[in-house]
Amino acid sequence: MVRVILRRLIQLVVTLIALTTLVFFWLRSLPGGPVDALLGERATPQTRELLTRALGYDQPIWTQYGRFVKNVVTGNFGNSIRTGEPVMDVISRSFPATIELAVAAIIIAIGLGIPLGYIAARYRGRMLDNATIIVTLIGISIPIFFLGYLLKDLLTQNIHIFPPSGRITTGMDNTDVTGFFVLDGLLTREFDATADALWHLVLPAITLATIPLAIIIRITRASVLDVLDEDYIRTADAKGLRNTTIRKRHVLRNALLPVVTTIGLQTGALLAGAVLTEKVYNWGGLGTLITDSISGGRDYPVLQALILLAAVVFIVVNLLVDLSYAVIDPRVRVQ
């Protein structure tokens, strides 16, 4: 197990180095270079020369690269062009909102997807199985923004079950400790704030979870059907093992590997889906920050930090997926 962890950590470091290099050269491949991109229409020969010298772009490329890597390691991405604040301060205000939304969405997707996929496989060819296939196909096909506006119109304006937007009711946000409003309410023992944050979270999380949920159901169903046709399942049944033992130890565990892979990929993809979901529900997370940084004056310092942050999250999630393989399937540990 230790060798598996070390091998994956080495791969993680190599991936991060490659990604950092790509981002470094991407900045320098912008039309006119990063200096013109930062100055925009205000660029003059004098201001261009001053900014080039201030940013160190007049130095050798490897000197620039070494300084860039050092800044990435220390978390120094400079200041935002739009607000003038340190980039990490800007991101730290939005990061908890997106993580809270993504975690809630993946919990819904996993909590419903695996059981429903397993049940559909057990009753394959029947009405329940056919209904599941139709519903998942619809879930995959509907765009997130359309589903978001549909649920928002139905459940917040017509029936008034959920709040229409935001993360918490105005006046209850004085419990902000970590930026995770659900957790902050528990830490400060303000349980009304926790309940209010959860109530705001439900609808955006359901919207964001729709596509991962549909995919997990279909992958679980297909994987379970493949395992049910294996010889060792028929052998276990012929030996007289209880159905519960066969399902838990042999069917579900062996069917989980492709499901876990799908969960890892979908967790990373939630960051992309969060852009639209956050816009619909005015969530104020990284998705909103990305759109504001692009449309609000090409805030490249923030964008490069967001690219690296998204990559790190995706890599860490896939590292956890790889480690879970070794837990689910002991054969992975000796490979």
Side-chain angles (χ1 to χ4, degrees):
M1 188 67 176
V2 175
R3 284 184 300 173
V4 174
I5 295 175
L6 289 176
R7 189 163 60 244
R8 295 296 184 265
L9 287 176
I10 292 173
Q11 293 173 354
L12 184 147
V13 171
V14 172
T15 304
L16 286 177
I17 292 173
L19 182 68
T20 303
T21 304
L22 287 174
V23 172
F24 173 79
F25 285 104
W26 167 72
L27 280 173
R28 280 141 188 83
S29 67
L30 295 170
V35 172
D36 284 349
L38 292 173
L39 291 175
E41 297 178 354
R42 298 170 296 172
T44 63
Q46 293 78 15
T47 56
R48 189 182 294 111
E49 182 180 355
L50 288 173
L51 187 58
T52 299
R53 194 174 303 138
L55 296 176
Y57 290 151
D58 56 338
Q59 299 177 3
I61 190 69
W62 294 114
T63 303
Q64 297 180 42
Y65 179 73
R67 186 175 61 252
F68 178 77
V69 172
K70 179 183 176 181
N71 290 337
V72 169
V73 172
T74 58
N76 180 19
F77 292 96
N79 294 331
S80 167
I81 296 174
R82 291 187 306 115
T83 64
E85 300 174 272
V87 169
M88 293 308 296
D89 290 347
V90 175
I91 292 178
S92 63
R93 288 198 299 268
S94 303
F95 185 68
T98 297
I99 295 300
E100 192 172 60
L101 177 59
V103 168
I106 203 63
I107 288 175
I108 293 173
I110 295 172
L112 295 178
I114 294 178
L116 289 176
Y118 179 80
I119 293 171
R122 281 197 61 198
Y123 296 96
R124 58 177 165 181
R126 302 184 187 180
M127 182 179 296
L128 179 61
D129 183 30
N130 294 329
T132 301
I133 293 174
I134 294 172
V135 171
T136 54
L137 185 59
I138 295 173
I140 295 173
S141 303
I142 297 180
I144 286 182
F145 70 90
F146 175 75
L147 178 63
Y149 281 118
L150 186 66
L151 293 177
K152 185 176 180 180
D153 183 66
L154 178 64
L155 299 178
T156 68
Q157 298 182 10
N158 293 335
I159 306 181
H160 303 288
I161 297 178
F162 297 104
S165 62
R167 296 180 61 200
I168 197 167
T169 301
T170 303
M172 287 191 175
D173 53 359
N174 55 355
T175 60
D176 190 358
V177 178
T178 65
F180 300 93
F181 287 167
V182 175
L183 177 61
D184 290 343
L186 295 175
L187 292 176
T188 58
R189 297 185 180 276
E190 296 288 344
F191 300 116
D192 289 342
T194 299
D196 187 75
L198 284 171
W199 205 237
H200 281 78
L201 181 61
V202 171
L203 205 54
I206 290 174
T207 302
L208 186 58
T210 303
I211 293 179
L213 172 61
I215 293 175
I216 290 173
I217 290 175
R218 294 178 74 90
I219 295 297
T220 303
R221 176 185 177 275
S223 184
V224 170
L225 287 177
D226 288 340
V227 173
L228 287 173
D229 290 333
E230 294 290 342
D231 291 337
Y232 60 82
I233 299 299
R234 286 190 287 270
T235 301
D237 188 40
K239 285 183 176 181
L241 291 180
R242 292 184 301 174
N243 286 335
T244 304
T245 303
I246 295 175
R247 293 170 194 162
K248 289 182 179 179
R249 292 187 181 179
H250 299 288
V251 176
L252 192 56
R253 187 165 186 173
N254 284 284
L256 276 181
L257 282 180
V259 177
V260 169
T261 303
T262 303
I263 291 171
L265 294 173
Q266 291 303 311
T267 302
L270 286 177
L271 293 176
V275 175
L276 297 174
T277 306
E278 290 179 8
K279 206 67 179 176
V280 172
Y281 294 100
N282 192 25
W283 193 251
L286 293 181
T288 305
L289 181 59
I290 290 172
T291 55
D292 291 345
S293 298
I294 294 174
S295 61
R298 297 185 297 180
D299 201 341
Y300 287 108
V302 173
L303 286 175
Q304 76 173 10
L306 288 173
I307 291 171
L308 291 172
L309 177 62
V312 168
V313 171
F314 197 87
I315 291 171
V316 170
V317 168
N318 280 274
L319 174 64
L320 295 176
V321 168
D322 289 341
L323 295 180
S324 68
Y325 287 165
V327 176
I328 296 171
D329 189 350
R331 293 173 298 180
V332 176
R333 303 174 198 172
V334 297
Q335 291 179 354

